[in-house]
Amino acid sequence: TTDYETITVERTGDRTALLTLNRPKALNALNLQVMEEVVAATEALDRDPDIGCVVLTGSAKAFAAGADIKEMQPQGYMDMYLTDWFTAWDRLGNLRTPTVAAVSGYALGGGCELAMLCDILLASDTAVFGQPEIKLGVIPGIGGSQRLTRAVGKAKAMELCLTGRTMDAAEAERAGLVSRIVPADDLLPEALAVAATVAGMSKPVAMMAKEAVNRAFETTLAEGVRFERRLFHAVFATADQKEGMSAFVDKRAPDFTHR
Ligand code: CO8
């Protein structure tokens, strides 16, 4: 994990890892190298049975101020189409290990989309969210028009995408984009604590819980409930179900083996 140039990755104990975007001079603008490194690093962590949750964060000033405008500026349609620009970001949303976005400062354009690709979104009271692409003569390209609309509804999503207006942390929480607001100084410790809580659960069961919740965005209610029921029955094949329920009955803490 030392050969990355635009991110740092550290194992933070408690079966958790911390990925920090590290292009401070460009406010963590997401160029293709950042995309490749984030995807490679998170996929490696996803394969690691000793990692139960991954935190993604940026700096105090910027989670990420968007896709890299300077890199995109000269590109034409054929360049974008043939490189399939940004499609690799989809792989972040396909990770099976739960992820937490810890957002402080700007989360604009691709930065907002990156945060929405994560499973739990925690914001500091300084966070600013928006999809201001329209001001540059483009539209969101990493799922923003879809995920923001599902998260906050048409009224706000449409206004944000059409005007480029940003939301502060309080508005983002009211609208349901973020699960909680944390004072800026507490953001990282709180995100790591949330990650440690998740990572302390049975990993396969947490993976199934994540899969079930995500299914709500892909299918009808009846199909989603059926999908949940199948997974619910399946968890009774895990050792961790026996351990979790035995521990409750025995009035002790469970010792999950992640099997
Ligand atoms: N890309 C490249 N460089 C950036 C970006 C960016 N998105 N954001 C900031 N920077 C750079 C600045 O150019 C500046 O560099 P330099 O010092 O060399 O001039 C440095 O970071 C610091 O930025 P500022 O001086 O502007 O810092 P301020 O504190 O004055 O302002 C802002 C902070 C308000 C965040 C401002 O930087 C800004 O508005 N940034 C752009 C925000 C934006 O529009 N983001 C959306 C980008 S488009 C996108 O994400 C998705 C496009 C989807 C396309 C789909 C294609 C398939």
Side-chain angles (χ1 to χ4, degrees):
T1 59
T2 49
D3 10 324
Y4 299 122
E5 289 175 356
T6 66
I7 62 172
T8 61
V9 181
E10 52 187 304
R11 281 158 196 273
T12 32
D14 293 330
R15 300 175 42 79
T16 58
L18 174 65
L19 188 157
T20 307
L21 301 172
N22 187 26
R23 279 189 84 200
K25 291 196 176 107
L27 301 184
N28 291 331
L30 306 169
N31 62 13
L32 295 184
Q33 186 181 4
V34 175
M35 176 178 72
E36 279 158 21
E37 294 188 356
V38 170
V39 169
T42 52
E43 286 188 340
L45 293 166
D46 197 34
R47 287 189 294 270
D48 186 338
D50 294 330
I51 294 294
C53 192
V54 179
V55 176
L56 272 78
T57 197
S59 67
K61 179 170 180 185
F63 178 70
D68 192 314
I69 298 166
K70 293 166 188 167
E71 188 181 50
M72 291 185 291
Q73 188 268 334
Q75 310 293 334
Y77 171 73
M78 263 304 127
D79 306 307
M80 300 306 266
Y81 181 75
L82 291 174
T83 47
D84 206 2
W85 204 276
F86 289 155
T87 293
W89 280 118
D90 296 348
R91 287 155 60 187
L92 190 65
N94 291 334
L95 298 176
R96 302 174 81 201
T97 306
T99 53
V100 178
V103 176
S104 181
Y106 297 111
L108 300 178
C112 186
E113 294 171 300
L114 173 58
M116 291 190 293
L117 277 165
C118 297
D119 301 318
I120 297 177
L121 211 170
L122 292 183
S124 88
D125 46 17
T126 65
V128 178
F129 297 90
Q131 299 291 159
E133 287 89 343
I134 193 127
K135 295 201 232 170
L136 301 163
V138 298
I139 70 169
I142 316 175
S145 65
Q146 305 305 299
R147 291 195 181 87
L148 186 66
T149 307
R150 281 163 161 78
V152 307
K154 174 177 169 179
K156 268 188 202 294
M158 195 64 98
E159 190 202 345
L160 264 56
C161 289
L162 287 179
T163 68
R165 178 174 82 77
T166 58
M167 288 192 287
D168 64 15
E171 183 178 0
E173 188 192 28
R174 278 198 309 275
L177 179 62
V178 311
S179 67
R180 266 185 309 124
I181 303 175
V182 178
D185 290 343
D186 303 340
L187 177 69
L188 203 51
E190 184 59 25
L192 290 169
V194 169
T197 299
V198 173
M201 306 302 175
S202 164
K203 184 168 183 188
V205 177
M207 286 159 63
M208 287 187 219
K210 164 173 172 166
E211 204 184 346
V213 172
N214 279 333
R215 195 72 175 197
F217 293 98
E218 305 283 353
T219 193
T220 63
L221 179 61
E223 281 307 314
V225 170
R226 188 194 304 276
F227 183 83
E228 179 197 79
R229 188 76 24 80
R230 292 284 175 258
L231 286 178
F232 172 71
H233 293 161
V235 297
F236 285 79
T238 64
D240 287 338
Q241 173 268 328
K242 299 284 172 296
E243 171 60 15
M245 292 193 166
S246 302
F248 178 83
V249 171
D250 299 347
K251 301 188 188 297
R252 60 176 174 83
D255 181 15
F256 292 126
T257 54
H258 311 290
R259 305 288 296 186

